[in-house]
Amino acid sequence: PNMAWLVAIASMAVAASASAQNAKFTASQTFEYDPGKTGTAEAYWDRNIGEADKSGNTNFGLRLEKNAPTPANVAVGAVLNGLKGVVVLAGDTLAFDMKDDSGPPQDGPRFNVFYTLPDGTPGGFSFVGGSGNATKSAGQQAGWTRYTLNLQVSPQANPPIPPGSVLESVVFIIDNSGKYTIDNIGFRDQVVGKPGSSSN
């Protein structure tokens, strides 16, 4: 992938600080990266396409579509705001639920993670994903699968992110061609199932 657009997307993250003890975040800020204005990118939360929320009142899900060939300079996703400044712990995970009819089947979604190394060296970057590398389990509802990615396990994180690193930005992204329905994006025990702050 073109590093210029990876950096452009990472810069969308709001510079809100957090701590290792507070890993609450939001995924409300969706994006459609389509500098050529091809009209082939769609990213939005919809209250009727996801798994049932805890309240039982809505079924929010995140719809991400790249309606262009995979090599096209188009990407869609959501920025995980609120994780800047969080110190990575051993065993930390990122995760998401994906509806089983998403695709076409391929490597699918991933997290782009920028971080500062434990010795203070800036510029750390890891692809965390895609779905083909994740540990799979049953989703919250039938027809969904949970994908969990350990930040220190290769190839789930490429390269692995050392404990003690400090997160700079985390972006959930799809740059493969296809239509994807996502829910319950997670970091540690915090989960976002709709626009707004995460909960455990």
Side-chain angles (χ1 to χ4, degrees), residues 6-143:
L6 292 179
V7 172
I9 291 169
S11 70
M12 298 175 187
V14 174
S17 63
S19 71
Q21 290 71 41
N22 177 18
K24 291 180 75 70
F25 65 97
T26 77
S28 307
Q29 183 187 355
T30 61
F31 66 86
E32 299 169 355
Y33 183 79
D34 184 14
K37 303 188 185 308
T38 63
T40 57
E42 288 193 48
Y44 57 89
W45 284 95
D46 186 309
R47 65 186 298 120
N48 299 308
I49 64 172
E51 298 166 289
D53 298 325
K54 288 182 179 179
S55 65
N57 297 324
T58 57
N59 293 69
F60 271 102
L62 177 62
R63 184 65 171 179
L64 300 174
E65 297 186 15
K66 177 175 176 175
N67 298 305
T70 294
N73 191 28
V74 173
V76 291
V79 179
L80 275 57
N81 285 316
L83 292 179
K84 180 178 174 63
V86 169
V87 177
V88 174
L89 304 178
D92 272 348
T93 59
L94 287 160
F96 58 93
D97 289 0
M98 184 165 65
K99 198 170 184 182
D100 293 343
D101 65 0
S102 297
Q106 51 197 344
D107 200 31
R110 68 173 187 273
F111 298 87
N112 285 351
V113 183
F114 286 85
Y115 55 93
T116 298
L117 290 162
D119 66 1
T121 302
F125 175 75
S126 179
F127 291 106
V128 181
S131 52
N133 293 326
T135 300
K136 299 177 185 178
S137 57
Q140 181 181 313
Q141 294 179 193

